[in-house]
Amino acid sequence: MQHQSWRPDQYNTHASFVSSLGSSVVDLLQPQRGERILDLGCGDGTLAAKIESAGAKVVGVDSSPEMVKAARARGIEAYVMSGDALTFNGEFDAVFSNAALHWMKNYPAVIRGVDAALKPGGRFVGEFGADGNIQRLISGMEASFARNPDFGTFNNPWFFPSESAYAAALSSGGFAVDHIAVIPRPTPLTTGVREWLRIFADHVISGFTQEQTERFLAEVEDDVRAYLYTPEGGWVADYVRLRFAARKS
Ligand code: BEZ
């Protein structure tokens, strides 16, 4: 599989909905003045800054050096670190994560690292893609690969668990689950499905020629149009979220 890379400027233009919609996860976190909070997959630091505005101190980690640079430019203490190889030890009151855990397929290692990073009783609060998330988009990508042998093999890089599977993973990782819910959330893509694919399926197209990229984008757009586009509503992606709040027990 090709490497997924991130362009903070493009992300800001075409995917600012990610942090806008993440505000309600910050509400679930209820950050308190003086708390030390780890933002796992902090991206460009938009939500970390919101958490800090409540008086907490945030440390952000992200596997993308470009995103860490953007978070630091916002004044957030941030480090390049993979979510399945966290190196913190008992120093955080809470770990927060928005729209990032679905990129971390080795979820037992992520949960172990979060557990190690938390103080006793610390909170793990997050939201990410649930089972069924972007199913139409994935089917469109798979269909395009099936039609075009020169594209190679489609490797789905995402982890979208069911509510029961993730609750079980949290419990066996030593967490008490206070809240977990699946939230269908059709999400408008104001700049269209092609721009979404360019940003979020960058790992899929990064090895393509220009011509292959255009063929892929056109085919996926055609494939999903009947499900994700209306003249009145424009493009709306089939997002389904898994939102949870757990405590280290
Ligand atoms: C999501 O936020 O659900 C998501 C974003 C990019 C790729 C896959 C899922």
Side-chain angles (χ1 to χ4, degrees), residues 4 6 11 17-18 98-100 102-103 127-130 133-134 137-138 141 157-158 160 185 196 199-201 203 238-241:
Q4 169 78 24
W6 298 98
Y11 195 84
F17 63 85
V18 174
N98 179 57
H102 45 242
W103 293 100
E127 184 177 297
F128 65 115
N133 192 42
I134 60 163
L137 287 160
I138 292 174
M141 290 185 245
W158 302 298
F160 298 137
R185 193 179 58 213
W196 187 95
I199 292 174
F200 292 112
H203 60 284
D238 49 344
Y239 275 30
V240 184
R241 318 313 284 170

Side-chain angles (χ1 to χ4, degrees), residues 195-235:
E195 291 308 328
W196 187 95
L197 288 162
R198 281 187 198 280
I199 292 174
F200 292 112
D202 171 76
H203 60 284
V204 176
I205 58 182
S206 62
F208 281 6
T209 64
Q210 181 71 24
E211 183 280 324
Q212 286 175 318
T213 299
E214 294 308 321
R215 196 171 357 131
F216 173 74
L217 296 176
E219 285 191 11
V220 178
E221 187 181 57
D222 275 355
D223 197 279
V224 301
R225 186 186 310 277
Y227 306 103
L228 304 184
Y229 180 81
T230 57
E232 318 76 54
W235 288 99

Side-chain angles (χ1 to χ4, degrees), residues 140-191:
M141 290 185 245
E142 285 170 344
S144 179
F145 269 73
R147 270 193 300 269
N148 296 278
D150 60 309
F151 288 177
T153 307
F154 176 68
N155 291 308
N156 182 338
W158 302 298
F159 158 65
F160 298 137
S162 67
E163 179 181 327
S164 58
Y166 201 63
L170 287 168
S171 300
S172 47
F175 285 88
V177 181
D178 293 326
H179 169 83
I180 187 159
V182 169
I183 306 166
R185 193 179 58 213
T187 299
L189 305 179
T190 50
T191 57

